[in-house]
Amino acid sequence: MKRDAAVHTADVPKLKSGDEKERYVQDMFSAIAPQYDRLNAILSFSQHKRWRRLAVRLAGVKSGDRCLDVCTGTGDFAMDLSAVVGRDGKVIGSDFCEPMIRNGLSKVAQTQGGPIKMMVANAEKLPYPSAAFDVVTVGFGIRNVARIQDAVSEMARVTADGGRVVILEFNRPPKRWYRPFVDFYLFRILPSIGGLFSRKEAYTYLPESMKTFVSREELTAVMERAGLTDIQVRDLNLGTVCIHSGTRRTNYPVGGGAS
Ligand SMILES: C[S@@+](CC[C@H](N)C(=O)[O-])C[C@H]1O[C@@H](n2cnc3c(N)ncnc32)[C@H](O)[C@@H]1O
């Protein structure tokens, strides 16, 4: 396979799919859970907080809303939702990797906003009734799920008619002059820093998974098939981060469009 000049990593993990990917991702996040928050701050220069807060704004979250954050990891997105919904609202953060949830528990307990419940659950098979939430979010998680359409369809199913689904995710930047520099950071610098503090393989997986992740247009189509409409796409950080937001269609058949 031909690669960009800046993209050379000897130890790029072989990308997996289906059940194999699910197990790989679960094991990987279990291994890096204790260092996850620290590395997030270092590798994004703490920008990840700003991206999540913008996603919360685009979701139109209001005081008193019921929110779900899937693939919540250590619960940062859930905390941003809780700050807006306040004491009258409710927030659930769910993730299938128990060590990630466990590492976030003391942090989310300190929320100044509404109470947050952290739960172990697979985004592809959510244990919640249909139409139970006003807003459902996912931050840097959808790229990691094994079956994206199933997860997005589940997110739409548990969203009430007219509610919002928001997906914050890394993406490949457009083909502009700065792309080789972004690639150099992603494929060379990021794995080296990741390797200093945590398991290097996890931080070579990250840029590789960005490369193979669905395009903005494909993700929009996935959301439409899940019963979402009025899809807005917003690029951030030179197009390396992208927010997709959509509204749950009224009376769309539950599970409609899921593959
Ligand atoms: C990069 S972390 C993002 C964590 C958090 N949302 C954030 O913004 O920092 C990706 C998370 O997705 C979770 N994940 C991946 N596939 C999942 C699935 N099918 N169901 C639930 N969680 C999943 C992983 O366990 C991991 O905690």
Side-chain angles (χ1 to χ4, degrees):
M1 187 176 67
K2 192 175 176 295
R3 292 190 176 199
D4 302 357
V7 182
H8 276 295
T9 40
D11 47 355
V12 170
K14 193 172 167 299
L15 291 175
K16 315 196 186 308
S17 62
D19 292 347
E20 202 189 358
K21 175 173 178 180
E22 194 167 286
R23 277 193 302 276
Y24 176 81
V25 165
Q26 218 165 11
D27 289 350
M28 187 181 73
F29 282 103
S30 298
I32 67 170
Q35 295 87 29
Y36 179 81
D37 281 349
R38 184 152 60 124
L39 269 165
N40 240 3
I42 296 171
L43 294 172
S44 76
F45 307 102
S46 286
Q47 291 298 300
H48 67 110
K49 295 184 185 160
R50 196 171 59 82
W51 301 331
R52 281 197 209 86
R53 281 198 294 267
L54 177 61
V56 170
R57 271 215 308 282
L58 293 178
V61 182
K62 302 181 300 303
S63 168
D65 274 353
R66 303 157 298 166
C67 300
L68 170 68
D69 180 44
V70 305
C71 303
T72 197
T74 58
D76 279 343
F77 214 152
M79 288 186 80
D80 288 333
L81 293 166
S82 127
V84 181
V85 303
R87 294 274 152 204
D88 295 335
K90 104 174 175 194
V91 178
I92 294 179
S94 70
D95 198 287
F96 76 174
C97 179
E98 209 235 321
M100 287 290 276
I101 295 270
R102 216 176 330 108
N103 272 279
L105 285 180
S106 58
K107 182 177 65 181
V108 302
Q110 288 162 23
T111 181
Q112 303 291 311
I116 301 171
K117 189 170 172 187
M118 297 286 273
M119 291 179 67
V120 177
N122 193 324
E124 295 177 17
K125 215 169 180 204
L126 292 171
Y128 313 113
S130 300
F133 299 96
D134 304 299
V135 173
V136 179
T137 57
V138 58
F140 309 110
I142 206 69
R143 175 179 38 88
N144 295 297
V145 303
R147 287 156 286 260
I148 294 176
Q149 182 69 67
D150 289 357
V152 176
S153 293
E154 273 293 86
M155 290 172 73
R157 178 185 67 77
V158 300
T159 306
D161 285 358
R164 305 278 292 160
V165 170
V166 173
I167 300 175
L168 168 66
E169 192 49 270
F170 291 119
N171 216 312
R172 282 283 275 165
K175 280 190 182 155
R176 302 256 170 82
W177 63 268
Y178 53 77
R179 186 148 141 177
F181 297 97
V182 174
D183 279 346
F184 186 74
Y185 175 73
L186 289 173
F187 288 89
R188 286 292 192 92
I189 296 178
L190 187 141
S192 302
I193 299 174
L196 285 179
F197 296 93
S198 187
R199 195 158 119 181
K200 184 173 182 181
E201 187 190 335
Y203 294 88
T204 47
Y205 161 83
L206 192 155
E208 279 300 315
S209 64
M210 279 169 74
K211 224 164 66 172
T212 53
F213 184 54
V214 293
S215 67
R216 291 156 180 76
E217 295 73 25
E218 283 162 339
L219 187 54
T220 300
V222 165
M223 292 174 80
E224 283 169 348
R225 280 199 294 277
L228 300 165
T229 184
D230 183 27
I231 317 278
Q232 318 273 330
V233 183
R234 172 109 174 233
D235 273 342
L236 309 169
N237 206 44
L238 302 177
T240 53
V241 175
C242 192
I243 301 175
H244 282 67
S245 56
T247 303
R248 173 74 155 87
R249 266 199 251 157
T250 307
N251 295 328
Y252 191 78
V254 167
S259 60

